[in-house]
Amino acid sequence: MIDLRVPLLALFTVVGVNAFAQVPEVSGAWVRAMPPGQHMTAAYLQLRNLTAGTVSITGVHSDVGMASLHETRLEGGRSSMRAVDSLDLAAGEAISMEPGGLHIMLMGLETTPVEGDIVPVCLQTSEGEVCADAQVQRAAPDTQGSHDHH
Ligand SMILES: [Cu+2]
């Protein structure tokens, strides 16, 4: 019996990390609802790298339109967006995409995302692909402690 424990534990650990957990772990995905006729919006989510190594995000995509990784920056009092080619998460690092910062830009949408819709977003990473169903909402979820009063 004792001889079996080590291999079983090892197997459990491997399965636990590779099959059941996302790398990186994605949570709290949401997309901003837009007024009728709008063909672009943004998706936000939280990423957590629970592995012992660096994980790179190399691209994003969504079935609903053209997706790209963007960052909003304040430069000289003006807010501007720029494309981000890739994103590295060090071991144990967490990154939060939220209004005013990193986001997944969604453009060329055939249908305007309205509150209650679900938008699938996927991230290409150095470990494969992770996807999440983003809830379309009018504002950031309260649970994330955001104070977006626009
Ligand atoms: Cu953008």
Side-chain angles (χ1 to χ4, degrees), residues 42 70-72 81 103-105:
H70 268 198
E71 185 176 28
T72 302
M81 288 195 294
H103 57 278
I104 297 168
M105 199 77 203

Side-chain angles (χ1 to χ4, degrees), residues 94-116:
I95 286 179
S96 184
M97 295 190 188
E98 47 192 42
L102 278 169
H103 57 278
I104 297 168
M105 199 77 203
L106 298 170
M107 293 183 278
L109 307 176
E110 279 186 27
T111 24
T112 304
V114 294
E115 205 169 4

